[in-house]
């Protein structure tokens, strides 16, 4: 029985690939996600994000506000099969105001795809998310997008990645022309040229003609100048480029680079095929028991995201669980590390953006949705067998703060329910005044858009209109050692003391200068810019 389970786990793990896409807003992340789903057969027609009225909406953007604004502001999970691989695609928000949600999602990923706009190169949000990937040691695959538009030279983009990120680059394919003259790509692995035919808005799979570099028919498709330019650039890559090294890729020190256009589907399928060959399968993960291989027989996993009201008709709450070891089976009972309670995992769901379907079993690398009646918090570990916990997922220092007020007393219950569910979800940090007469929650966010989303969802999902009263603070720090340490310090000037969701003291400062002043006056007071969320060793 044990050997059967081990073989089953090894087979399941070997065909699973789990990855997140990181990018700056407007680099084309949602479009690329749609096209990967198109080639994976998960959807039959891709929908543009900023769609014409008669086009389909993007599958991965399910929240009403995302559809209205044409941006991704919440993480989703998209699961599909391709070439006998089971793929878990973790779609992350591109907007910088939601980088914390992205950070949590990266905690559940085994690989990262870094999407870069060919005209803009590396941008602020991409750099920040790259740093998070490096901290986690994730392999990074680079897709340079929008080659069908005027952009920078591919060699210049490779140089920027190497110089600014310290990553070695190895182009797996090479663009033939750019902008209006973008004709296709050269696959360096197979030594083949793929010439593409444009499809209307890229809603269908791109048709391509495959030729070798020396095929005489090539001159029917490429003019002499483009052909000579391609040969010259390939010679440069062979002479001065890095040698391919899969071990360095898996260590996150070398990035395979792909060129293409997600909008027109050019190069997307070739990228997907190569990625599946080179990407890491689910790996051992660090826990309180050490690094546990995914083939460990006992089931375990951790919660990296909570989402309320994915289905507004049923007012549901879903916990996203990354399976780390063992086999998940419907209705199994597990131990909850933080509370010590036993939880029966009924109604497990396979996630596909807003759509869900019931599942009977799942394996390491998979992400499943569990019904969450207030049982789970972000960072919680669930397990069978010997007690263990996976690393906690921190929350970061917010930069803007405001009291959220309910001007309509008759909506008190709905207001409280909304705040409780959005707080559990981690969509925004919520703090409270230490003054018992100030009962209103304090919203703490990285950016203004988070406030907009909370107010939009309070009205749209809970029927409550709200108002904001801004607080004049821009820096938050958690007090190491808690209330006891803070009481010994005594009064602090130019600071506001509040408590977070876990009743831990947080100091708010008007600016960095005030923070440095307090540090100078109280050198023994340890202040942290992040705090663990819920559980985690």
């Amino acid at each position: 029985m044990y050997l059967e389970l081990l073989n089953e786990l090894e087979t399941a793990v070997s065909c699973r690939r789990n990855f997140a896409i990181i990018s700056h807003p407007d680099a084309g992340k949602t479009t690329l996600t749609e096209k990967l789903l198109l080639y994976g057969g998960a959807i039959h027609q891709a929908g543009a994000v900023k769609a014409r009225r008669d086009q389909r909406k993007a599958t991965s953007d399910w929240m009403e506000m995302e559809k209205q604004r044409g941006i991704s502001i919440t993480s989703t999970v998209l699961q599909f099969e391709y070439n006998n691989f089971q793929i878990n695609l973790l779609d992350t928000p591109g907007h910088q105001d939601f980088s914390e949600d992205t950070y949590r999602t990266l905690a559940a990923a085994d690989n990262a795809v870094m999407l870069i706009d060919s005209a803009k190169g590396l941008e602020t949000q991409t750099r920040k998310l790259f740093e998070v990937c490096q901290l986690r040691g994730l392999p990074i695959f680079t897709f340079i997008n929008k080659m069908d538009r005027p952009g920078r030279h591919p060699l210049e983009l490779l140089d920027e990645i190497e110089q600014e990120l310290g990553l070695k680059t190895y182009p797996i394919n090479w663009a033939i022309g750019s902008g209006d003259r973008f004709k296709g790509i050269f696959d360096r692995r197979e030594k083949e040229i793929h010439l593409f035919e444009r499809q209307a808005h890229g809603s269908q799979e791109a048709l391509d003609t495959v030729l070798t570099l020396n095929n005489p028919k090539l001159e029917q498709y490429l003019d002499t100048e483009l052909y000579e330019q391609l040969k010259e650039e390939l010679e440069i890559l062979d002479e001065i480029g890095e040698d391919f090294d899969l071990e360095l890729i898996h260590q996150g020190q070398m990035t395979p680079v792909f060129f293409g256009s997600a909008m027109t589907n050019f190069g997307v399928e070739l990228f997907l095929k190569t990625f599946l060959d080179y990407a890491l399968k689910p790996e051992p993960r660090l826990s309180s028991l050490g690094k546990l291989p995914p083939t460990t027989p006992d089931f375990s996993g951790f919660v990296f995201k909570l989402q309320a009201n994915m289905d507004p008709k049923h007012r549901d709450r879903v916990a996203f669980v990354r399976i780390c070891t063992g086999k998940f089976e419907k209705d199994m009972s597990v131990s909850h590390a933080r509370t010590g309670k036993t939880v029966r995992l009924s109604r497990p769901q396979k996630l596909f953006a807003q759509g869900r379907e019931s599942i009977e079993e799942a394996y390491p690398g998979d992400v499943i949705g569990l019904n969450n009646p207030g049982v789970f918090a972000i960072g919680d570990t669930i397990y069978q067998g010997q007690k263990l916990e996976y690393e906690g997922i921190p929350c970061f220092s917010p930069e803007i703060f405001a009291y959220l007020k309910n001007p309509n007393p008759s909506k008190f219950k709905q207001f409280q329910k909304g705040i409780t569910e959005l707080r559990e979800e981690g969509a925004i940090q919520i703090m409270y005044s230490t003054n018992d007469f100030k009962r209103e929650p304090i919203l703490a966010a990285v950016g203004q858009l988070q406030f907009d989303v909370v107010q939009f969802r309070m009205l749209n999902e809970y029927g409550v209109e709200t108002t904001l009263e801004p607080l004049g603070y821009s820096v938050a720090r958690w007090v190491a050692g808690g209330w006891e340490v803070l009481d010994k310090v005594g009064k602090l000037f130019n600071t506001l003391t509040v408590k977070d969701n876990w009743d831990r003291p947080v100091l708010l400062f008007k600016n960095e200068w005030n923070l440095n002043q307090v540090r100078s006056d109280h050198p023994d007071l340890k202040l942290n810019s992040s705090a663990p969320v819920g559980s985690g060793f």
Side-chain angles (χ1 to χ4, degrees):
M1 187 72 180
Y2 172 80
L3 281 176
E4 277 181 29
L5 176 59
L6 197 62
N7 288 334
E8 186 182 345
L9 287 171
E10 282 177 352
T11 303
V13 168
S14 67
C15 68
R16 271 162 173 75
R17 297 294 183 270
N18 168 313
F19 70 99
I21 302 180
I22 61 169
S23 76
H24 196 82
D26 294 328
K29 183 173 57 62
T30 302
T31 306
L32 178 62
T33 300
E34 289 284 311
K35 301 314 171 67
L36 292 172
L37 298 179
L38 176 69
Y39 281 103
I43 58 176
H44 299 296
Q45 189 177 19
V49 192
K50 295 173 180 174
R52 291 171 170 80
R53 287 186 183 181
D54 60 339
Q55 282 184 323
R56 296 175 64 256
K57 294 289 184 184
T59 305
S60 53
D61 289 341
W62 57 268
M63 193 186 287
E64 189 58 39
M65 192 170 179
E66 292 179 306
K67 293 173 184 174
Q68 287 180 15
R69 295 198 183 191
I71 54 171
S72 297
I73 53 179
T74 181
S75 300
T76 55
V77 178
L78 302 144
Q79 294 170 310
F80 60 99
E81 289 181 28
Y82 180 79
N83 277 7
N84 298 317
F85 285 97
Q86 185 72 33
I87 301 165
N88 287 263
L89 194 169
L90 307 172
D91 185 38
T92 60
H95 201 286
Q96 63 184 19
D97 289 4
F98 296 89
S99 50
E100 196 163 315
D101 196 18
T102 300
Y103 184 92
R104 295 187 201 114
T105 302
L106 287 170
D110 298 318
N111 304 276
V113 173
M114 179 167 68
L115 186 66
I116 294 174
D117 184 323
S118 68
K120 297 174 182 172
L122 290 173
E123 296 177 85
T124 314
Q125 187 66 1
T126 317
R127 287 187 181 92
K128 284 183 185 175
L129 295 172
F130 164 77
E131 287 169 11
V132 175
C133 293
Q134 271 216 315
L135 284 172
R136 298 211 53 252
L138 293 179
I140 296 168
F141 296 76
T142 300
F143 188 91
I144 295 179
N145 193 25
K146 303 186 183 180
M147 290 304 297
D148 58 324
R149 300 182 190 180
R152 291 160 61 185
H153 194 281
L155 288 170
E156 186 187 333
L157 292 166
L158 293 185
D159 188 57
E160 183 175 54
I161 293 168
E162 293 186 355
Q163 296 300 321
E164 295 201 24
L165 302 184
L167 270 182
K168 294 181 176 181
T169 62
Y170 183 88
I172 301 291
N173 64 33
W174 195 252
I176 303 171
S178 63
D180 291 340
R181 300 185 73 206
F182 180 49
K183 300 295 184 186
I185 56 173
F186 177 71
D187 181 354
R188 294 180 75 202
R189 272 210 313 177
E190 303 296 334
K191 308 295 183 193
E192 291 175 337
I193 285 178
H194 290 253
L195 300 166
F196 298 107
E197 293 177 32
R198 293 174 187 266
Q199 298 293 308
H201 309 303
S203 59
Q204 306 292 337
E205 295 176 18
L207 301 172
D208 68 341
T209 303
V210 182
L211 300 168
T212 59
L213 195 58
N214 300 318
N215 192 313
K217 287 185 180 176
L218 197 55
E219 47 192 57
Q220 296 173 21
Y221 300 96
L222 288 185
D223 62 47
T224 309
E225 186 190 341
L226 263 186
Y227 178 63
E228 292 302 325
Q229 180 185 323
L230 173 64
K231 285 208 300 185
E232 185 184 323
E233 289 171 351
L234 291 177
E235 281 175 21
I236 291 171
L237 291 181
D238 290 339
E239 284 174 21
I240 65 169
E242 298 283 347
D243 292 331
F244 180 82
D245 190 328
L246 190 57
E247 195 174 324
L248 286 182
I249 291 169
H250 287 170
Q251 290 169 359
Q253 294 173 35
M254 171 180 275
T255 180
V257 181
F258 303 81
F259 294 88
S261 162
M263 184 57 77
T264 59
N265 302 343
F266 289 6
V268 174
E269 187 174 29
L270 276 170
F271 161 72
L272 181 57
K273 284 178 177 175
T274 312
F275 168 80
L276 294 173
D277 286 345
Y278 293 157
L280 272 182
K281 62 185 182 183
E283 290 279 285
R285 295 186 80 89
L286 190 61
S287 77
S288 53
L289 297 178
K291 279 200 167 186
L292 294 179
T295 50
T296 303
D298 287 329
F299 165 83
S300 68
F302 66 91
V303 178
F304 68 92
K305 177 180 171 60
L306 301 173
Q307 184 71 56
N309 303 329
M310 285 180 78
D311 182 355
K313 292 176 188 170
H314 296 104
R315 319 299 292 169
D316 63 344
R317 285 187 284 171
V318 176
F320 289 59
V321 175
R322 155 69 196 240
I323 299 173
C324 299
T325 64
K327 180 181 178 181
F328 170 85
E329 294 181 289
K330 183 181 177 182
D331 291 325
M332 74 192 308
S333 291
V334 298
S335 299
H336 187 294
R338 177 170 55 87
T339 63
K341 293 179 180 176
T342 300
V343 183
R344 186 163 167 262
L345 304 181
S346 56
R347 292 174 59 200
Q349 299 160 340
K350 174 183 173 180
L351 298 157
F352 190 76
Q354 195 176 11
R356 263 82 52 79
E357 63 182 65
S358 184
I359 57 165
E360 298 295 321
E361 57 190 33
Y363 296 91
D366 286 340
V367 172
I368 59 171
L370 297 175
N371 187 41
N372 178 34
V375 173
F376 300 114
I378 290 167
D380 279 352
T381 297
I382 52 177
Y383 66 94
Q384 285 188 324
Q386 189 178 355
K387 183 176 180 182
L388 68 102
E389 284 189 86
Y390 289 103
E391 292 178 285
I393 303 173
C395 56
F396 294 99
S397 179
E399 295 170 15
I400 55 172
F401 307 85
Y403 281 109
L404 184 70
K405 302 201 166 192
N406 169 26
N408 187 348
S410 67
K411 297 275 188 177
F412 176 76
K413 279 189 178 176
Q414 295 95 315
F415 179 80
Q416 289 301 116
K417 184 172 191 250
I419 289 299
T420 301
E421 292 187 359
L422 293 180
R423 182 189 66 213
E424 284 176 359
E425 191 181 296
I428 195 165
Q429 291 183 52
I430 294 178
M431 300 176 178
Y432 291 90
S433 171
T434 51
N435 181 344
D436 290 337
F437 293 104
K438 285 288 252 183
R439 297 284 179 89
E440 293 101 341
I442 299 168
L443 300 188
V446 175
Q448 179 63 39
L449 184 58
Q450 281 181 287
F451 286 174
D452 297 347
V453 169
V454 168
Q455 288 194 283
F456 178 89
R457 292 185 65 186
M458 287 293 284
L459 181 60
N460 213 42
E461 296 171 21
Y462 302 95
V464 183
E465 282 202 47
T466 55
T467 59
L468 289 172
E469 182 188 307
L471 284 159
Y473 297 89
S474 65
V475 180
R477 291 293 182 266
W478 279 261
V479 179
W483 295 103
E484 189 180 337
V485 169
L486 193 59
D487 289 342
K488 287 178 184 172
V489 172
K491 180 141 181 81
L492 295 170
F493 295 99
N494 291 320
T495 64
L496 177 67
T497 303
V498 297
K499 53 190 177 184
D500 71 4
N501 185 38
W502 303 90
D503 205 31
R504 299 174 292 208
V506 185
L507 298 180
L508 303 188
F509 301 89
K510 291 187 182 297
N511 48 45
E512 289 282 346
W513 188 85
N514 287 141
L515 167 62
N516 292 332
Q517 193 177 32
V518 167
R519 279 187 166 144
S520 172
D521 293 344
H522 304 276
D524 295 334
L525 180 63
K526 287 192 171 56
L527 301 174
N528 298 323
S529 59
S530 63
V533 175
S535 57
F537 69 89

